[in-house]
Amino acid sequence: MTDKTNTPISVVGLGLMGTALARAFLKAGHPTTVWNRTAAKADALVAEGARLAPAIGDALGGVTIVCLTDYSAVRELLGDARLDGTTLVNLTSGDSAQARETAAWAEKQGARYLDGAIMAIPSSIGTDEAVILLSGPLPDFDLGALGTVSHLGEDPGLASLYDVAGLTMMWSVLNAWLQGTAMLKTAGVDAATYAPFARQIAAGVADWLPGYAEQIDQGSFPAEVSALETDARAMAHMVEESEALGVNAELPKLIKAMADRAIAAGHGGEQYPVLIREFERPGS
């Protein structure tokens, strides 16, 4: 990627995230043009040096960052606008099918299209902690002002897929922690006391991922640590303990139900990652 820290940037959409994006570009020295349907939202940025585009067409061209509520809003706003000479970077949340459809539409309008996902909150934009995922053609400009930028590949749907996969991890970890917290609260253990232990467990599990990934990619699941049928017995204890404590047991029951199906299919002697077979099945 060519380092062009003075590349002119346009930012379309000035919600909390769009404003944070524009401000990061300004701080990094990029000439920054902004546009929002409610022009008053640009006042603070203009005071900081941004140029307010009088109309949406004046914000298009060069590198244009779009950060709106959804993909429909992007299509509605840009309509039939010709985008020749525009590199359109869509940082609007959506799914992979929408990303690919929008890429095809934008290219017909003459744009070079990249789809993206922001794995960060507005206050972290402009720091290394802000992870920005991009997919589509390899960018020839620098978005490093926003944070840690990762280009995932040519498929414009990849950023959205990684985004959803990351959210799946986030909510699964949080729900597991909340399950354990609810159980321990019945014994008078508060969340703050449990949190360091839970963090240690989460970090330990994360260390298993490379080895488990190798098993999944090879399609072979030797029980090097524990067989799934052994794990299922521990899952039963988790269900029983939750019910005995009067704590919601839906999550542990779901975990055990998936393991039970895999065991019934003949995978009880294999290691836990064999459950990928259950995750690959269409839901009911």
Side-chain angles (χ1 to χ4, degrees):
M1 183 187 299
T2 303
D3 182 13
K4 296 182 179 179
T5 55
N6 62 346
T7 302
I9 302 285
S10 292
V11 178
V12 173
L14 298 178
L16 290 175
M17 185 59 77
T19 297
L21 299 175
R23 182 163 285 125
F25 285 125
L26 282 169
K27 287 182 177 179
H30 290 272
T32 304
T33 298
V34 295
W35 183 90
N36 193 73
R37 197 180 299 275
T38 303
K41 286 192 173 182
D43 289 349
L45 291 168
V46 170
E48 295 170 30
R51 169 185 173 269
L52 176 62
I56 181 61
D58 298 305
L60 303 176
V63 179
T64 301
I65 312 292
V66 180
C67 187
L68 301 178
T69 54
D70 54 37
Y71 282 71
S72 296
V74 174
R75 298 282 291 273
E76 179 184 352
L77 177 64
L78 299 184
D80 296 325
R82 290 302 304 170
L83 299 173
D84 300 276
T86 299
T87 296
L88 189 65
V89 183
N90 187 10
L91 298 182
T92 299
S93 296
D95 60 42
S96 57
Q98 290 173 318
R100 294 180 183 117
E101 291 167 2
T102 304
W105 166 81
E107 287 162 6
K108 287 181 180 178
Q109 305 303 113
R112 187 169 183 265
Y113 180 87
L114 287 93
D115 203 85
I118 303 171
M119 310 295 287
I121 58 175
S123 61
S124 69
I125 295 297
T127 72
D128 291 342
E129 285 71 35
V131 174
I132 312 296
L133 306 178
L134 293 178
S135 55
L138 190 67
D140 58 359
F141 50 88
D142 181 27
L143 290 181
L146 301 181
T148 303
V149 180
S150 295
H151 181 259
L152 303 172
E154 296 288 323
D155 176 0
L158 280 175
S160 291
L161 275 176
Y162 267 77
D163 183 25
V164 175
L167 292 175
T168 301
M169 282 288 298
M170 179 183 75
W171 283 318
S172 295
V173 170
L174 286 174
N175 284 340
W177 175 67
L178 291 171
Q179 179 78 31
T181 299
M183 295 170 73
L184 284 165
K185 281 185 68 179
T186 66
V189 179
D190 61 23
T193 299
Y194 173 49
F197 175 78
R199 184 176 182 179
Q200 183 179 20
I201 293 295
V205 171
D207 287 340
W208 302 346
L209 298 184
Y212 280 8
E214 185 175 343
Q215 288 193 342
I216 291 170
D217 291 342
Q218 291 179 350
S220 177
F221 308 94
E224 299 167 347
V225 177
S226 177
L228 184 60
E229 58 193 6
T230 302
D231 294 335
R233 289 194 285 273
M235 294 173 191
H237 298 326
M238 187 168 58
V239 173
E240 292 161 3
E241 185 74 60
S242 296
E243 291 178 332
L245 296 173
V247 170
N248 190 308
E250 290 175 89
L251 179 59
K253 283 181 177 179
L254 172 62
I255 293 169
K256 186 174 186 300
M258 297 186 76
D260 287 344
R261 288 198 298 270
I263 291 168
H267 300 296
E270 296 176 270
Q271 194 155 268
Y272 194 85
V274 74
L275 278 179
I276 189 67
R277 305 288 188 236
E278 292 299 311
F279 285 95
E280 290 171 341
R281 288 162 28 116
S284 58

